[in-house]
Every structure is written in structure tokens, then in C-alpha cells.
């Protein structure tokens, strides 16, 4: 096996000595100037993964909602899903290998995975709008060509578009045409077909205002807009023409700070939404007549979508196994509404998209959303076949119409990954079909007041959790302490979990009033501080 060309090219993408990075759910992310060697090596890894799976593999250059000066990279597996966990270890080892260790690191992967280096390979590459992304994607291409692999550079695409393209390439076009235009055509046709069935489709609807986070989502919405008119009128803000990517805008900013982004003109009662930097998250919001800000996050989105699908399933009389997957951060009111009112089973998974996606695959129809607005709907092959069959064979006109709507939803949803554009179109179609204003959607249930805090500790590893991170098993006595504190407050719950990236413990509390949620969060912070090795000053009560 000839690794000479690979090692020779690697010199042009030398690794800074001593730099170590970890491949996580979001791939690699750090300051852009530290990533050239990582990009080259992920090009190499993508080729090996392609040879191993005998499939097209994707490489996306993005740092999502991080600041503009950061960048990152993630690999996309054959069906458009995230890289399998076992290969995350290879990615980390390869990125951290010093120059003289690179040959051994590559040889180990080839041997462990019994990869035949004579097998064909193909890699597709995409990037976001960061100033550093173009050069970094060229480093990926250097890695791919060092192994003499075929590749296609799709240039500026959103992360979900690259996931879609990978899935299309590996299903011989059954999932759709593997181009950005194919993506627009598939989604816009499904959206237009769905909205045309609405009695309100011609009604005078207010425009939807979109905060594009000054990122790739803004660029792609501009390209797609013509396919959606006249059924959807869009007003685009933070389109990248002057502001900085993710600066005082974007889904993460709105969710964390619970306020509108800068640069958007909000009028009372008008629907607004924000994408994140690579357009795989979305949150909605509006201002009421008293100019109060209201956020509709991933919990509200999951509830709207799953309620709509459940109602259609009842009409077509299909007994499919449906579930909603949330994390411990989901508001208790959303869980209660889904379970008690809609009779939809709710399951809790560990924080992190890959855990939710994996759990959702267990159902015929699995809806998953993190509170931050990242989520989608997965349909099993069985569910898709039964629904498509009922479009023609339904027993009544109502049943056939409901089946047609479900079929349109299947085509409108990007099942590979959370997708801000796709999720936005699903939400807009549902609001139109149900004749719901953004205020009426918000009124489906009322969020319980909650508070998220963090406690600095000497070593976050002293905290161990179970039951999808909702209970602690270490240190001893902490969970019992939390249980006693929770009993003092009405409609309350609280949990703690270690951060994945820093020595802090994250605390979540909710209760019947904001005052009680704040007091509960503070008491739990004190318990963590004293039992889990808090550092610095003792947590102070919230003013």
C-alpha cells in the first residue's frame, strides 16, 4: 500500500505540535486557524469510510452556531446520518496524531476495518459561508485526492442539504435528485401540494419574518423563495449582506437569551423564526400586543407536528407505532400535553441529537426535537408504504385526503437530520391547514417557568447520571438531597448533569412560578456545590 503521496501532501497541512481535539456529536470545532491539518485528515478518513461502506460519504465544513472566527468539520454517513460512534474514535486519533504518527494511525484503521484500498470511493463536500470555509474545504479535497479518490464539491450548502445529497446519492435517487435544485424541487412541491389542500391557502396571511443568522440559511432561502410563491410570503433579515455570522442573531442567541435577534423588525402578532449558522436548527417567536416576547422552541414545534400527524393517523385509521422523543430539558407542560391530552407516548433520551435520532428509529413514526430547535420526523419503511398505498385505496374521501397529506409530510420532512428550512415549511403548512395564528399555536399549552444554571466544580466526572440524565447515581447522597428539595415546591422537578466540555455541572429546575423555579434552581446549585466539589464562591440566590 502506497502512503507516500498521502504523507508528502500532509507536510503542506502540518499539525501544530501538542494540539488535541475531540470529535463529538458536532464533529470537530475550534478556531479556524487550528483546523487545516484536521480538514486534510478528514478528507483521508472520508475516503476510508467510503471504501469501507462502498458508499458516497459527505464532509461538511461548518461550525454551526459558533462565532464566525471558529470553524469545524463533520462527516456524513451513507444514509445521510451522522458518523457512527466507532469511527468518531478514528477521527479523533487521526486528527491528534503527530506528523511522524500519521502513517501508523492510517494503517491501524485500514487493518482494523479490513479495508480493501483497491475499492472505489467517492466523497461529496460542502461548506458554510464563513470566511475560512473555502480554504478549509480545499484542504479536505487535498486529503481526498491524496488517496486518488473521486469527489464532488457542492460548494456553499446548508448542512441538511449535504445530508440530503448524500442520502440521494446512495439510494440511486429514490430519496430525491442529489442536487441543491433537486432539494428545492422536492420540498417546494410537497409544501405547495399540502398548502393547496387548506381552506385558508388563499386567505390573506401575514408574512413570515426570517432571521437568517447572517449565514448559509439566508443564502439558501433566497434561492428557494421563488419556488414557494405565492403561497408563502417571506421577509428575510440578517441575510449576511452586512452583519457577522451568529452575532446577536440566530436560533441559539434567541433560545438562550429569550429575546428577539438584532436586525429584525417585529410587529405584534407576526410570525418570526430564526435559523442557526448552518440551518439545522429553528425556533419561532412573536411579540404580543403588550410587546412581550414569546418563544416557541423545539418542544412547541414537536407538539405541533406530532399532534397534526396523530390527527391524520386517526382519520386514515392506521395503527402505526408513534412516539415523541425528548430530552430531560423538555418542558414538563409539553410532556403532559402529549401524554395526557394527545395520548402520544413520550420517551426521554440523553442530551445530544444522535441519541434522539437513534431512539426515534425504534418507531413507525418517531418525532424528535431538542428544546434548542434541532429535530425532525422519521418514518419507517412500513409506515411509508402503508401511507402511500392508502392515497389510492382509502375507504373514504376523507381517509384518502388525510393519506395524501401524510404522504406530502413524508416528502417535506428531511428525515436525514434536523433541517431549519424543511421544519419551517412543515410548520407553515400545518398552521395554514389548521387555520392557526402563532398566538393560537402558543396557547396549545403553557410552559412551566424554568431556570437553567451552572455550578463550577473541580472535576465534572464526579457526577454520574442514569435514566436519560434525569437522576444522579454519584456522588452518594446528591440525588436524595435533590429529591427532598423538589418536594418543597409545587409542580416541580429538577435534575443535574455534567457538561460535556467544561468542568461545570448544569442545573435545570421548573416549578409553578418563576420565583419558585429560581429558588429551586438555587437550592439544587447549593447541593451540587457542597456534595460535588464546587470551586470558587458559593452560589448566590437569583435576584
Amino acid at each position: 500500500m502506497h502512503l507516500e503521496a498521502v504523507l508528502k501532501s500532509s507536510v503542506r497541512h502540518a499539525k501544530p505540535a501538542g494540539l488535541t481535539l475531540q470529535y463529538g456529536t458536532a464533529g470537530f470545532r475550534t478556531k479556524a486557524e487550528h483546523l487545516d491539518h484536521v480538514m486534510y485528515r478528514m478528507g483521508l478518513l472520508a475516503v476510508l469510510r467510503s471504501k469501507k461502506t462502498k458508499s458516497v460519504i459527505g464532509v461538511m465544513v461548518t461550525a454551526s452556531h459558533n462565532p464566525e472566527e471558529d470553524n469545524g468539520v463533520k462527516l456524513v454517513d451513507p444514509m445521510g446520518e451522522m458518523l457512527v460512534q466507532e469511527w468518531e474514535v478514528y477521527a479523533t486519533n487521526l486528527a491528534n496524531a503527530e506528523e511522524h504518527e500519521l502513517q501508523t494511525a492510517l494503517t491501524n484503521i485500514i487493518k482494523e476495518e479490513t479495508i480493501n484500498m483497491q475499492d472505489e470511493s467517492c466523497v461529496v463536500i460542502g461548506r458554510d459561508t464563513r470566511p475560512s470555509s473555502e480554504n478549509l474545504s480545499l484542504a479536505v479535497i487535498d486529503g481526498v485526492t491524496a488517496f486518488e479518490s473521486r469527489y464532488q464539491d457542492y460548494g456553499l450548502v446548508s448542512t441538511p442539504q449535504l445530508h440530503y445529497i448524500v442520502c440521494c446519492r446512495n439510494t440511486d435517487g429514490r430519496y430525491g435528485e442529489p442536487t441543491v435544485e433537486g432539494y428545492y424541487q422536492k420540498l417546494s412541491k410537497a409544501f405547495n401540494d399540502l398548502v393547496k389542500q387548506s381552506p385558508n391557502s388563499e386567505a390573506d396571511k401575514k408574512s413570515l419574518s426570517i432571521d437568517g443568522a447572517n449565514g448559509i440559511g439566508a443564502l439558501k432561502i433566497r434561492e428557494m423563495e421563488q419556488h414557494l410563491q405565492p403561497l408563502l410570503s417571506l421577509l428575510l433579515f440578517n441575510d449576511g449582506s452586512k452583519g457577522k455570522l451568529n452575532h446577536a442573531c440566530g436560533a441559539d442567541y434567541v433560545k438562550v437569551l429569550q429575546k428577539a435577534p438584532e436586525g429584525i423588525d417585529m410587529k405584534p402578532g407576526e410570525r418570526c423564526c430564526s435559523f442557526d449558522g448552518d440551518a439545522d436548527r429553528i425556533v419561532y417567536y412573536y411579540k404580543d400586543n403588550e410587546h412581550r416576547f414569546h418563544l416557541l422552541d423545539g418542544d412547541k414545534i414537536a407538539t405541533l407536528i406530532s399532534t397534526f400527524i396523530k390527527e391524520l393517523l386517526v382519520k386514515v385509521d392506521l395503527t402505526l407505532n408513534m412516539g415523541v422523543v425528548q430530552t430531560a430539558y423538555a418542558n414538563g407542560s409539553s410532556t403532559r400535553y402529549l401524554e395526557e391530552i394527545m395520548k402520544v407516548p413520550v420517551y426521554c433520551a440523553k442530551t445530544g441529537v444522535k441519541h434522539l435520532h437513534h431512539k426515534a428509529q425504534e418507531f413507525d413514526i418517531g418525532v424528535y426535537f431538542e428544546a434548542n430547535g434541532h429535530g425532525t420526523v422519521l418514518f419507517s419503511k412500513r409506515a411509508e408504504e402503508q401511507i402511500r398505498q392508502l392515497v389510492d385505496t382509502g375507504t373514504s374521501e376523507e381517509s384518502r385526503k388525510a393519506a395524501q397529506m401524510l404522504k406530502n409530510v413524508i416528502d417535506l420532512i428531511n428525515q436525514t437530520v434536523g433541517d431549519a428550512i424543511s421544519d419551517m415549511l412543515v410548520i407553515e403548512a400545518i398552521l395554514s391547514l389548521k387555520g392557526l395564528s402563532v398566538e393560537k399555536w402558543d396557547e396549545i399549552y403553557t410552559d412551566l417557568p424554568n431556570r437553567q444554571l451552572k455550578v463550577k466544580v473541580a472535576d465534572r466526572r464526579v457526577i454520574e447520571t442514569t435514566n436519560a440524565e434525569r437522576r444522579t447515581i454519584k456522588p452518594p447522597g446528591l440525588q436524595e438531597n435533590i429529591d427532598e428539595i423538589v418536594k418543597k415546591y409545587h409542580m416541580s422537578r429538577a435534575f443535574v448533569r455534567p457538561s460535556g466540555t467544561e468542568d461545570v455541572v448544569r442545573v435545570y429546575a421548573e416549578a409553578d412560578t418563576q420565583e419558585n423555579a429560581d429558588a429551586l434552581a438555587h437550592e439544587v446549585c447549593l447541593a451540587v456545590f457542597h456534595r460535588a466539589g464546587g470551586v470558587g464562591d458559593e452560589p448566590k440566590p437569583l435576584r
Side-chain angles (χ1 to χ4, degrees), residues 305-501:
I305 294 174
S306 46
T307 300
F308 179 68
I309 291 173
K310 175 75 191 283
E311 287 167 352
L312 290 178
L313 286 175
V314 170
K315 284 180 184 169
V316 296
D317 196 23
L318 264 187
T319 35
L320 290 169
N321 175 20
M322 180 177 172
V324 176
V325 187
Q326 300 180 324
T327 70
Y329 287 104
N331 196 279
S333 290
S334 70
T335 312
R336 269 193 288 279
Y337 175 81
L338 285 165
E339 289 187 326
E340 294 169 17
I341 310 293
M342 290 313 299
K343 308 293 183 208
V344 174
V346 178
Y347 299 84
C348 192
K350 280 172 70 175
T351 305
V353 180
K354 60 185 165 197
H355 301 299
L356 285 98
H357 192 93
H358 189 69
K359 184 69 184 171
Q361 287 174 319
E362 295 176 17
F363 307 98
D364 286 320
I365 301 175
V367 181
Y368 75 83
F369 272 85
E370 289 190 295
N372 65 24
H374 188 291
T376 188
V377 185
L378 305 182
F379 293 85
S380 69
K381 201 163 177 243
R382 181 175 93 102
E384 284 201 25
E385 284 168 358
Q386 289 190 19
I387 289 163
R388 290 185 195 279
Q389 210 174 356
L390 278 172
V391 173
D392 300 318
T393 63
T395 49
S396 66
E397 192 183 337
E398 186 190 44
S399 163
R400 288 191 293 276
K401 190 177 175 186
Q404 180 63 49
M405 284 187 188
L406 280 169
K407 177 185 171 292
N408 294 147
V409 170
I410 290 169
D411 290 336
L412 187 51
I413 287 277
N414 185 345
Q415 293 186 55
T416 63
V417 73
D419 182 339
I421 293 174
S422 161
D423 290 340
M424 176 193 83
L425 293 175
V426 173
I427 292 162
E428 289 300 309
I430 294 171
L431 294 179
S432 174
L433 285 159
K434 292 173 78 72
L436 282 177
S437 65
V438 68
E439 297 98 330
K440 288 287 180 210
W441 169 22
D442 196 22
E443 286 168 14
I444 290 176
Y445 67 83
T446 305
D447 275 332
L448 278 169
N450 57 84
R451 178 65 65 195
Q452 291 185 46
L453 297 172
K454 52 188 181 182
V455 181
K456 280 190 177 172
V457 291
D459 182 0
R460 67 183 185 272
R461 290 170 299 185
V462 301
I463 300 260
E464 284 185 29
T465 64
T466 184
N467 190 11
E469 301 177 312
R470 289 176 290 187
R471 313 269 306 164
T472 60
I473 46 178
K474 283 182 183 174
L478 177 59
Q479 187 58 53
E480 291 75 10
N481 201 172
I482 293 170
D483 291 342
E484 285 304 311
I485 297 166
V486 166
K487 280 180 193 167
K488 292 158 53 177
Y489 298 91
H490 187 50
M491 291 180 75
S492 63
R493 72 182 180 102
F495 68 89
V496 306
R497 55 181 285 271
S499 161
T501 52

